[in-house]
Amino acid sequence: KKVMGPRDLVLFYIATAASMRIVALSTENGPSVLGLWVLGFVLFYVPQAFTTVELTSRHPDEGGIYIWVQRAFGDFHGFITAWFYWATLVVYFPAALMFSASNAAYVIPRWSYLAECPRFLMAASLIGLTIVVVVNVLGLGVAKRFHNASGYLNMGVPALMVVGLGFLTWVNYGSATEFSLSTVTPTFGGLSDVILIAAIAYAFAGLEGASVMSEEVQNPRRNVPRAIVIAGVMVLSVYILISWTILTVLPPNQVSGLTALPDTARVAGTRLVGATMGGVLGSLVALCLCVAAFGTVSAWMATGARMPFVAGLDRYLPAAFGTLHPKYATPHVSVITLGIVTSLLIVLGSMGGTAQQIYRIFVSLEIITY
């Protein structure tokens, strides 16, 4: 069914490309991340955008990157591409769900200690995963509501809450971090800088996602290019503003990859309007990030499930993967299988280490496999 209209497509790209998780992690490295956002956009997002538009126009078929590689290099290469893409999503889901769960713990301040509890993160992630699987079995007509909510919140949180507080903090108290030409210029001095470049590129990844569902998009040849341009400008602006805001309010050594945005809202709110209101603002940001991350997982579940579905049609996977649900006409076997594999990985990954260590392992895995 052609359920993805122009607005849905823009919000889908924002939901899949605007990663508040990677912004927080990258900003730990200090003000040089501002220069890297521009480089990442020019050197990765723009070429990726041209590639996606060209290949979507040539092959507006369900399957996206799987079909592109298959047509260019043959069936085997198409299958391998789909397999690695699927493997990337399997390690992406636990990281995104843990991020969502950690922010859920911050919604109620007295329960914020749960954000450091691996068992809570595991249980909350499994509950969230179950909901994502159910809505994607019901179809894009239902699931796109979560994707749209994620797109709105990925823009709304930075624009209305965090960035506004950062500007007021800068006007009234100055910046906690020095911003100058020398500090915002990347140095590329060691392995950590190379790893950071990989994270920056990964933060702009995901434009091929909607093309996997091309046959469910209204007029993809026209709407995909427009959506990519609009989403790209918005995502770059948000990345720069979010990093600037975090570093204006917090010194780099106090930036946490899991909770940087709620911490920023709480600290800025406390300075400006008092501790009680600061706690409320931190909780609001945490709630919005929790829902946004959840919606992003749903968007990538929709994308990831189409890969095994098309591979099942081509008999590279068991034929069951190529079947549709008799009532909802969705690739339910692929969705459920992806959910089961992800749940096993969440359970195994949560068995050792602190919450921060487990989260960083999953984030590293998703960047490396991508």
Side-chain angles (χ1 to χ4, degrees):
K1 299 179 181 178
K2 300 279 188 180
V3 297
M4 297 282 283
R7 184 188 63 172
D8 301 320
L9 203 55
V10 171
L11 292 170
F12 181 90
Y13 281 127
I14 292 172
T16 54
S19 175
M20 297 298 107
R21 299 183 303 114
I22 305 301
V23 170
L25 280 171
S26 300
T27 305
E28 288 181 350
N29 294 274
S32 64
V33 74
L34 299 180
L36 286 173
W37 288 132
V38 177
L39 285 177
F41 181 81
V42 173
L43 299 179
F44 189 80
Y45 186 93
V46 173
Q48 182 191 192
F50 277 112
T51 304
T52 301
V53 169
E54 171 68 18
L55 292 172
T56 302
S57 298
R58 288 191 184 192
H59 310 296
D61 307 306
E62 194 85 353
I65 193 170
Y66 171 83
I67 296 297
W68 304 341
V69 176
Q70 182 191 54
R71 299 284 173 83
F73 301 108
D75 291 347
F76 177 74
H77 292 81
F79 171 72
I80 291 298
T81 299
W83 175 257
F84 277 108
Y85 200 88
W86 194 78
T88 302
L89 291 176
V90 167
V91 293
Y92 158 78
F93 289 141
L97 287 165
M98 288 185 69
F99 180 80
S100 178
S102 67
N103 279 282
Y106 266 75
V107 173
I108 301 176
R110 69 175 181 220
W111 291 354
S112 60
Y113 69 93
L114 291 174
E116 300 296 330
C117 176
R119 285 182 295 177
F120 167 77
L121 296 182
M122 179 184 72
S125 296
L126 291 174
I127 292 171
L129 178 63
T130 301
I131 296 172
V132 166
V133 169
V134 170
V135 298
N136 275 280
V137 169
L138 294 177
L140 277 179
V142 177
K144 75 174 185 179
R145 298 174 186 175
F146 291 95
H147 313 164
N148 291 355
S150 178
Y152 283 127
L153 290 171
N154 274 338
M155 294 295 102
V157 171
L160 301 178
M161 295 183 183
V162 180
V163 173
L165 291 172
F167 177 76
L168 292 173
T169 300
W170 176 67
V171 169
N172 289 279
Y173 299 96
S175 175
T177 305
E178 179 190 353
F179 293 100
S180 64
L181 182 60
S182 61
T183 60
V184 302
T185 302
T187 58
F188 307 114
L191 181 61
S192 61
D193 294 319
V194 175
I195 295 172
L196 178 58
I197 292 169
I200 294 292
Y202 185 69
F204 286 109
L207 295 188
E208 75 289 332
S211 299
V212 176
M213 304 176 289
S214 284
E215 292 183 6
E216 296 160 269
V217 174
Q218 298 169 11
N219 198 345
R221 283 192 172 95
R222 183 189 67 184
N223 291 330
V224 165
R226 294 178 180 179
I228 285 176
V229 171
I230 295 170
V233 173
M234 296 178 75
V235 169
L236 174 62
S237 301
V238 164
Y239 281 174
I240 292 173
L241 288 172
I242 281 291
S243 292
W244 175 83
T245 298
I246 292 173
L247 293 170
T248 296
V249 177
L250 302 174
N253 61 0
Q254 294 182 18
V255 178
S256 165
L258 270 174
T259 59
L261 287 167
D263 287 344
T264 299
R266 177 179 52 79
V267 171
T270 299
R271 289 178 183 171
L272 294 168
V273 290
T276 300
M277 199 59 177
V280 171
L281 291 169
S283 296
L284 282 173
V285 170
L287 176 62
C288 291
L289 290 172
C290 171
V291 177
F294 179 77
T296 301
V297 171
S298 178
W300 280 116
M301 178 69 76
T303 297
R306 269 68 182 172
M307 293 283 188
F309 168 69
V310 180
L313 291 176
D314 290 341
R315 296 296 191 268
Y316 278 98
L317 288 176
F321 283 91
T323 60
L324 294 175
H325 192 281
K327 181 177 180 180
Y328 303 114
T330 55
H332 61 295
V333 175
S334 296
V335 172
I336 294 170
T337 302
L338 195 53
I340 292 172
V341 174
T342 302
S343 65
L344 292 174
L345 199 58
I346 290 172
V347 173
L348 290 172
S350 301
M351 286 184 174
T354 65
Q356 288 279 355
Q357 289 170 339
I358 295 167
Y359 177 68
R360 286 181 177 277
I361 288 171
F362 279 127
V363 171
S364 298
L365 280 173
E366 61 175 302
I367 293 174
I368 290 168
T369 45
Y370 183 83

